[in-house]
Amino acid sequence: IQAIETTADGNAVITLTNKIAKPTTMMDDPDYAVEVALLSRNIKFEAADDDPVNPAHGGHLMVVHTPGVPQTIHGVEFRKFGQQGNLGRYPIHIHLNVDGSGVTISRNTIRESNQRCVVIHGTHNTTITWNVAFDTFGHCYMLEDGIEQENYFGYNLGASTKITPDEGILSIAESDMFASTFWLSNPHNYIEHNVAAGAEDSGFWIELLELVRGPSQSMDPYLEINPSSHEYGYFRNNIAHSNRGDGLKLYPNGYFPETEAVFENTYSYRNVGDGVLLHNSKNLAIDGGIYADNRIQIEVDKQADDVRVSNAQVIGFSPLYQIEVEAGNRKSHCPAYRPLVGIQLHSFLRYRDSDGYIIENITFSDYGESIGCTDSSAIEMDPQTRDGHFDAFATFANLTFQDGMPMKEKFNMCFLAENEMFIHDLAIQDLSGDLNPNGNGVAGWILSDSPKMTAFLEEGTCFPMEGSCAIFCEGGCFRTMNYAINVAAEYDNLVLEATHADGRVTEFEGYFEAKTTIIQNVEVPDDYENFVYQRRKYFSPILPDGEYTLRFKKDGAIVWPEFAEETWESPPSCIPHVLDSSITLEVPTPKDEECANVINHGDAEEGTRNFWMHSGGGIEMYTPGYNSAFAFRSTRRKGTWQGPGQFLDTRCLTSGSQYEIIAMVKLEDNNGVPQNCNPNQENINAFDICPRVSLRLRHLAGNKIGDPVDVSYAYPLATTVGPYNKDDWNMIYGVFTVTESIASADTVFFFIDRARPGVNIIIDDVKMVPTVQTCQSPIYNTDFETGDARFWSKVGTTTTDMFVPGYPNLPGASTEGFALRTFSRKEFWASMSQPLNTDCLEEGTAYSVSSDILLLDANGNIANCDTSLEYGAVTVNVCPKMALKITTGNVEVDVDIADVTGPWNQGNWNSMNGIFTVTQEMLVADSVRLFWRKYEEGHDIVIDNVAVTSVEAQDPDKLMNNGDFSSGDTRHFKPARGGVISTYAGGYDDDFALIMTGRDAAYYGVRQNIDTNVLEEGVSYTASAKFKLFQSDGTTPFDCEPTAVAGDKICPVMFLKAQEPGVGAQTRLIGSTLGEKDADWNTIAGNVVFFHNEVNAPSLSLIIDRAPAGIVMVLDNVGLTKVTSTA
């Protein structure tokens, strides 16, 4: 500088010794004028040039551990300071002062810094103003650890910030190889009137982690500070220009404030990258400012949600910059392989509960071919998709475009439309009609040019937006609903058909984000992500106002994909729009075969994972299977809860229905070595824990995106039964009753879990079939002739296993047969156990109990006991008792119910007998378990032929109990698949009958189990019942048509349902309605001869149903009576 003269108007004239290229001045354009800064200061700190081996090893100044002490660094020139590659060695470093109140760093210059400029580290409340930094390496003005808050950066200039070379990088955790002039790691600071110019990378970089890093972590010991969502200070009136990267960026870790964070009046221009890049963020606003001559002026990048851009000038290739390019002083963005863009929007959001973009009060200028910017546009949709669906719904309002600007230069979605994944469902609301190609300012919607988007709009309301690959539809009001379904390959070609009330129809395809991973430098499908149980395939119909019926279809046929979770997008600002009540999703009634085995592809014989997913780790095919070619194997299990599974068809899971689960299982480690497990082990974290079946239930608390979701679990529904053979296939078995919680769940995920981590679960022949646990006995597998311990578990510290031979044979006998043994008993009450099926118990009813019992000593020899002794003061040689353990909450009550009867038979099997009466406490208890107790610990108990039998007498020729309801209640009758039964005053020929209400489906009916022990094969029986029907109000009579076989006039029928383990139910009609009435009562009648499979079925029921849905049934005199010969 040769001279500086002050003029009368307050400006200055600077005379230079040498000429420079003409800069942009205030006279040229005050918005783009260059900054002029004095680099020299009277006080100068300069590092000595005394280390030729390490010339980047300069001096450094550190203010350290002085909390609350006012300190000032003012008017100093720092030159060649900083030690490249040495952490903490910077020109000015405020280090871990915590409270920096009174610390002021102002009007300094930092030149030729080897490492950074002004670094605030673990310190709050400092003031950094009017400083100049030039020709520096690494991040310049910097908040180091992400804990620094309420610091003020104002009126600072940073120019020519350079990236740190590889040899000078502090560590892989630092990012100075992408150096920015301002690097901000906590949003709760105050940034205004700063300039970042000419950096080799970015001007302002806001990089927010989820945790405080570095030494400052000690100031946040409980990890309470999350910089990425922390309170916002402000960012306003800042300038970023002429940087080789972006002007301002939030990347890659964005910002998620609770309330909108506004970046005010930013000027970002002439940057090689983006003027502003918002990536991976939510709830941000760009308000005011000028964005010009960048590659993209404002990029609302992928996974940036709830973003507003308002009140700004967005300029593509400004006239002033065109002059500078023509003069050779600047490099143009036009033309380029990536066309110049004003505002670029993405097609997908980060979170499904987010809103998209608001673009309002924006002035666009200087785009298009007329200025040499081929394919440039004011607003462009980025071509990238996540899953093909457009969910980043945007609103445009009050947009101003340069006169004469063609439509393709205003809005361009052609690159997105050309993406093969895109499903062409873009919808953007234009509130002020600025993009209406008719130029009439009528508001409407920018839509993908696809028939499904216009199927329900009136003709003549949609117009092409020439060159933009979109159409504009005037009026209308669109809203989107989402249906999440199973990702099974079975539904690859599924469509969601939408039918308007006037008959117009269109189809919406589904979409799924298939994720990939890198294995050995090759991109492959990510089997973990693509098959984990949280994943869904989505259908998102976007519809204008109207009444619609939706149906899932495959190849033209209506299907149901196990479940469909419905969530609605936020309602649009326009009205009228579709409401919840406007949409009917048709759920077809399941066919019998669809619920005959609720597990799909359980035998693995397709050789694919169709329908199967996992709860963690992974799933793959395994060979050979159980007596077949294929099975399924879990992989990479790191938690006991992880294993293979699939979603169940929720239609089949009606409250009160029962299912039998059977699966074959074995365990291997990652090397294929067979692993053992102990079916008696109950500690889920134990080394030898065995697999079980669990359900994961999701209940949606609402149908709006963001509404709460309640997740619960039901387990165990089935367990591994002993004995377990690690070198062979083993059985998982269980029977469960569908609870109201299961029946009402929106999704039910069935999975097999609980082997220890690192062990892979291999399964085959998985079945879940309807069954009815017969009430001939409230316990099951009582003679153990299945050869396993299904239904049985244990109480106390003991182990159970099969014992050979069973009753009446003794150890060593060469005969077949099984019994159950409990050994290694640590308590007098430790034994085998089974919960009673309390649904079979009637209050006040007496039950006889019995079992055969064999006692063994600690060495396995037959032991004896003295029936005259009582357990208490004496504990040795006392005979055991059979007991009930009644558990309600944390309270357990033990009740003895049977003793050894008669004199003890030395060295042999003996019998136990007793009786108990069902109490109300038993019926309301959480569980009532049968077990054996009061026997010396360390000794073994072997049982066989256990029986719990009602002592109520029954005529063997009359198979129905309480068929005339003369008891005044509905004992022995149960709902079949749904509905509610109760006593009805006024029977056919006495005081009482049965009434069934709540029949939401025609197949809701009444059932009673038949005691097959009294059936006679080949003998004729008469089936009969009296009934009346009423409308849903229970009083208005309803007449059915006995000749109708379907429809809303069908009459009730009577049929048999036989259930065998692992086999679908077999049903047949045995009685139908006669055409004549008897005193307002209708008659069902028929004859039946029982088949062999029915006589031998473990469960046989008589069922009356098939009246139309909603109709109330009243029944009386239900009978199934043996026909006696008159000869």
Side-chain angles (χ1 to χ4, degrees), residues 123-336:
T123 305
H124 317 306
N125 305 309
T126 63
T127 300
I128 300 96
T129 58
W130 296 104
N131 299 284
V132 176
F134 175 73
D135 192 21
T136 62
F137 280 100
H139 298 311
C140 188
Y141 299 95
M142 181 178 184
L143 300 171
E144 189 161 2
D145 279 351
I147 201 169
E148 300 83 11
Q149 300 176 57
E150 298 195 79
N151 298 285
Y152 178 80
F153 288 79
Y155 302 92
N156 300 287
L157 168 64
S160 297
T161 304
K162 298 182 289 188
I163 61 176
T164 300
D166 291 346
E167 61 273 15
I169 296 299
L170 288 167
S171 74
I172 193 65
E174 304 300 318
S175 53
D176 298 80
M177 68 287 286
F178 307 110
S180 60
T181 303
F182 289 82
W183 191 82
L184 308 174
S185 59
N186 187 298
H188 191 201
N189 291 279
Y190 310 108
I191 317 297
E192 68 174 351
H193 292 290
N194 300 284
V195 177
E200 288 188 343
D201 204 283
S202 296
F204 294 87
W205 185 1
I206 301 175
E207 186 175 12
L208 308 176
L209 303 179
E210 294 183 353
L211 296 171
V212 172
R213 66 176 196 153
S216 298
Q217 287 180 339
S218 63
M219 299 165 60
D220 183 29
Y222 300 108
L223 307 179
E224 296 175 313
I225 296 176
N226 178 353
S228 71
S229 60
H230 202 55
E231 181 182 353
Y232 184 56
Y234 56 71
F235 187 100
R236 61 196 185 198
N237 301 314
N238 296 291
I239 298 173
H241 71 84
S242 309
N243 299 292
R244 296 186 191 176
D246 302 316
L248 164 63
K249 68 178 179 183
L250 282 79
Y251 182 90
N253 308 297
Y255 185 29
F256 304 88
E258 290 187 8
T259 58
E260 186 183 65
V262 182
F263 292 77
E264 302 173 68
N265 202 37
T266 301
Y267 280 38
S268 186
Y269 54 89
R270 301 183 181 179
N271 299 292
V272 175
D274 292 351
V276 176
L277 170 62
L278 303 180
H279 176 85
N280 193 23
S281 297
K282 183 176 181 180
N283 217 8
L284 306 182
I286 303 297
D287 199 323
I290 294 177
Y291 310 89
D293 302 311
N294 308 292
R295 184 184 64 81
I296 297 176
Q297 313 316 314
I298 299 173
E299 181 174 3
V300 185
D301 200 11
K302 57 188 176 184
Q303 300 183 344
D305 305 358
D306 295 330
V307 172
R308 174 173 63 88
V309 182
S310 304
N311 309 311
Q313 295 182 56
V314 180
I315 302 167
F317 193 12
S318 68
L320 182 59
Y321 197 57
Q322 293 177 42
I323 293 172
E324 296 202 16
V325 169
E326 290 174 4
N329 296 332
R330 301 283 184 175
K331 184 177 180 180
S332 172
H333 289 290
C334 302

Side-chain angles (χ1 to χ4, degrees), residues 833-860:
S833 174
Q834 184 180 151
L836 301 186
N837 183 354
T838 54
D839 288 340
C840 295
L841 303 181
E842 300 277 353
E843 183 178 1
T845 300
Y847 285 83
S848 65
V849 293
S850 62
S851 77
D852 295 311
I853 185 170
L854 184 69
L855 303 180
L856 305 175
D857 64 19
N859 298 314

Side-chain angles (χ1 to χ4, degrees), residues 615-669:
S615 59
I619 184 171
E620 64 185 11
M621 301 308 298
Y622 176 88
T623 189
Y626 172 71
N627 295 328
S628 62
F630 297 104
F632 301 105
R633 174 170 61 186
S634 64
T635 61
R636 304 182 299 277
R637 293 182 64 253
K638 297 181 180 179
T640 56
W641 65 91
Q642 297 179 345
Q646 67 172 251
F647 285 101
L648 303 182
D649 189 335
T650 54
R651 299 174 302 169
C652 300
L653 304 178
T654 56
S655 182
S657 58
Q658 294 179 321
Y659 283 90
E660 179 184 46
I661 297 172
I662 301 175
M664 305 308 295
V665 64
K666 60 181 178 177
L667 304 175
E668 290 182 355
D669 66 14

Side-chain angles (χ1 to χ4, degrees), residues 630-772:
F630 297 104
F632 301 105
R633 174 170 61 186
S634 64
T635 61
R636 304 182 299 277
R637 293 182 64 253
K638 297 181 180 179
T640 56
W641 65 91
Q642 297 179 345
Q646 67 172 251
F647 285 101
L648 303 182
D649 189 335
T650 54
R651 299 174 302 169
C652 300
L653 304 178
T654 56
S655 182
S657 58
Q658 294 179 321
Y659 283 90
E660 179 184 46
I661 297 172
I662 301 175
M664 305 308 295
V665 64
K666 60 181 178 177
L667 304 175
E668 290 182 355
D669 66 14
N670 290 327
N671 297 315
V673 178
Q675 300 295 299
N676 216 336
C677 74
N678 177 11
N680 294 281
Q681 182 58 258
E682 295 176 342
N683 181 356
I684 192 171
N685 296 314
F687 183 82
D688 58 349
I689 191 71
C690 283
R692 69 180 177 190
V693 171
S694 300
L695 297 182
R696 182 180 188 267
L697 314 175
R698 274 172 53 93
H699 292 83
L700 304 185
N703 66 354
K704 305 297 185 294
I705 291 178
D707 282 346
V709 176
D710 178 63
V711 177
S712 59
Y713 293 84
Y715 54 81
L717 277 68
T719 57
T720 303
V721 298
Y724 187 89
N725 182 352
K726 70 181 180 67
D727 296 315
D728 202 351
W729 289 90
N730 300 271
M731 180 180 288
I732 294 176
Y733 185 86
V735 174
F736 77 98
T737 300
V738 177
T739 64
E740 182 58 34
S741 178
I742 296 173
S744 62
D746 292 280
T747 65
V748 179
F749 185 71
F750 169 108
F751 63 109
I752 298 174
D753 66 338
R754 210 179 59 164
R756 72 177 184 273
V759 169
N760 296 318
I761 301 172
I762 304 165
I763 57 170
D764 199 358
D765 275 12
V766 186
K767 300 175 183 178
M768 180 174 150
V769 297
T771 190
V772 175

Side-chain angles (χ1 to χ4, degrees), residues 454-737:
T454 59
F456 305 118
L457 296 175
E458 297 301 322
E459 290 187 13
T461 60
C462 295
F463 309 95
M465 298 173 65
E466 187 175 349
S468 70
C469 300
I471 57 175
F472 189 97
C473 296
E474 294 182 349
C477 188
F478 285 86
R479 191 179 181 192
T480 300
M481 60 233 60
N482 300 293
Y483 294 95
I485 71 161
N486 197 340
V487 301
E490 185 76 11
Y491 305 123
D492 285 350
N493 298 319
L494 201 68
V495 297
L496 183 58
E497 180 188 83
T499 303
H500 193 276
D502 64 10
R504 288 178 292 174
V505 179
T506 194
E507 293 179 347
F508 293 88
E509 57 265 64
Y511 56 94
F512 174 72
E513 182 187 5
K515 298 189 176 182
T516 60
T517 188
I518 302 297
I519 298 179
Q520 297 180 347
N521 297 321
V522 177
E523 185 177 27
V524 297
D526 189 329
D527 285 349
Y528 176 88
E529 288 290 345
N530 293 333
F531 290 94
V532 69
Y533 66 93
Q534 293 101 332
R535 298 301 305 280
R536 301 286 190 274
K537 183 174 185 176
Y538 288 92
F539 292 79
S540 298
I542 177 168
L543 300 169
D545 184 47
E547 301 285 333
Y548 299 91
T549 299
L550 306 181
R551 302 175 182 90
F552 287 105
K553 284 191 169 183
K554 181 179 180 181
D555 300 328
I558 299 175
V559 298
W560 183 247
E562 285 73 56
F563 67 90
E565 296 177 312
E566 179 184 77
T567 52
W568 287 68
E569 303 282 357
S570 299
S573 58
C574 53
I575 55 174
H577 53 71
V578 289
L579 304 172
D580 298 21
S581 57
S582 308
I583 302 296
T584 300
L585 177 64
E586 185 174 303
V587 182
T589 301
K591 301 174 183 177
D592 287 343
E593 58 268 25
E594 290 179 299
C595 295
N597 181 5
V598 187
I599 299 298
N600 287 301
H601 185 30
D603 59 6
E605 290 314 291
E606 288 182 13
T608 71
R609 289 171 291 199
N610 191 13
F611 289 106
W612 286 92
M613 304 178 75
H614 63 87
S615 59
I619 184 171
E620 64 185 11
M621 301 308 298
Y622 176 88
T623 189
Y626 172 71
N627 295 328
S628 62
F630 297 104
F632 301 105
R633 174 170 61 186
S634 64
T635 61
R636 304 182 299 277
R637 293 182 64 253
K638 297 181 180 179
T640 56
W641 65 91
Q642 297 179 345
Q646 67 172 251
F647 285 101
L648 303 182
D649 189 335
T650 54
R651 299 174 302 169
C652 300
L653 304 178
T654 56
S655 182
S657 58
Q658 294 179 321
Y659 283 90
E660 179 184 46
I661 297 172
I662 301 175
M664 305 308 295
V665 64
K666 60 181 178 177
L667 304 175
E668 290 182 355
D669 66 14
N670 290 327
N671 297 315
V673 178
Q675 300 295 299
N676 216 336
C677 74
N678 177 11
N680 294 281
Q681 182 58 258
E682 295 176 342
N683 181 356
I684 192 171
N685 296 314
F687 183 82
D688 58 349
I689 191 71
C690 283
R692 69 180 177 190
V693 171
S694 300
L695 297 182
R696 182 180 188 267
L697 314 175
R698 274 172 53 93
H699 292 83
L700 304 185
N703 66 354
K704 305 297 185 294
I705 291 178
D707 282 346
V709 176
D710 178 63
V711 177
S712 59
Y713 293 84
Y715 54 81
L717 277 68
T719 57
T720 303
V721 298
Y724 187 89
N725 182 352
K726 70 181 180 67
D727 296 315
D728 202 351
W729 289 90
N730 300 271
M731 180 180 288
I732 294 176
Y733 185 86
V735 174
F736 77 98
T737 300

Side-chain angles (χ1 to χ4, degrees), residues 361-411:
N361 303 323
I362 307 295
T363 298
F364 295 97
S365 64
D366 302 303
Y367 296 90
E369 296 182 6
S370 63
I371 55 174
C373 287
T374 304
D375 293 330
S376 66
S377 56
I379 303 173
E380 179 190 86
M381 300 307 304
D382 187 278
Q384 185 179 10
T385 67
R386 176 175 55 200
D387 48 30
H389 169 56
F390 178 83
D391 66 2
F393 301 112
T395 299
F396 295 168
N398 300 320
L399 307 184
T400 302
F401 300 93
Q402 204 165 9
D403 290 344
M405 200 172 182
M407 183 58 69
K408 68 177 182 179
E409 294 172 6
K410 295 179 181 179
F411 180 83

